[in-house]
Amino acid sequence: MTIIDEASRECLALVVSRQLRHEDVLAALADLFIDRGPPAHIRSDNGSEFIATAVQTWLGQIGVKTLYIAPGSPWENGYNESFNGSLRDELLNGEIFYSLVEAKVLIEAWRRHYNTVRPHSSLGYRPPAPEAATPPLPASGSASLHLRPAMAAETTMH
């Protein structure tokens, strides 16, 4: 599951699993909403994990509107489709994952690169979230928390 901020083009989450369930959607969204606050809208396709009653009810309770694309109309979710094409061309087509853990590690590393280093033509050849790069931990082992700006008004999921 990919979750993209439509305004910044930042990939907020990339959930890797053998099968995606509505519980996975709820967990990923809950984590994002805790970190960034809920968006005004979420756009997604009509996959069973996105249209599940539990997901719709939870989003409604916290005031997030759902925008579902028409079945068979991926162009209505263009930001996400473009991201998925980049993910496929730049990583997935050139890798063989020998385990789910390996896939999660490599895909997360690619997501961080996509957000913080990779230039985007639609953003003037700048990465969507260069300030989101996590600095290394200090030698003392203590860490500080870096909060990022609130999520844009619309987010897309696929």
Side-chain angles (χ1 to χ4, degrees):
M1 173 176 64
T2 58
I3 303 176
I4 308 297
D5 183 311
E6 288 186 358
S8 72
R9 308 298 203 286
E10 181 181 3
C11 177
L12 303 173
L14 213 164
V15 178
V16 179
S17 180
R18 294 190 192 282
Q19 180 179 1
L20 189 64
R21 303 168 324 203
H22 76 273
E23 294 90 352
D24 302 315
V25 172
L26 289 172
L29 292 177
D31 288 345
L32 283 173
F33 294 178
I34 289 168
D35 286 346
R36 298 171 175 256
H41 300 90
I42 291 181
R43 182 185 330 274
S44 72
D45 63 21
N46 293 282
S48 61
E49 66 276 12
F50 301 127
I51 64 170
T53 302
V55 173
Q56 291 181 4
T57 300
W58 183 72
L59 290 171
Q61 289 172 343
I62 58 175
V64 176
K65 291 183 175 33
T66 53
L67 306 170
Y68 295 104
I69 66 171
S73 303
W75 55 87
E76 291 182 10
N77 203 358
Y79 298 113
N80 210 292
E81 294 300 327
S82 176
F83 174 86
N84 289 341
S86 296
L87 173 62
R88 193 175 317 104
D89 293 344
E90 296 173 17
L91 178 69
L92 300 180
N93 287 345
E95 289 289 338
I96 296 174
F97 303 112
Y98 293 101
S99 70
L100 186 58
V101 171
E102 179 185 19
K104 288 179 178 185
V105 168
L106 293 176
I107 290 169
E108 177 59 18
W110 183 88
R111 184 188 76 84
R112 288 182 184 271
H113 179 269
Y114 176 91
N115 284 340
T116 61
V117 177
R118 183 187 178 277
H120 297 250
S121 60
S122 62
L123 300 173
Y125 295 95
R126 298 173 51 133
E131 71 282 352
T134 306
L137 291 176
S140 67
S142 63
S144 61
L145 181 62
H146 174 71
L147 297 178
R148 292 179 286 223
M151 195 180 308
E154 292 191 8
T155 299
T156 60
M157 295 188 302
H158 191 268

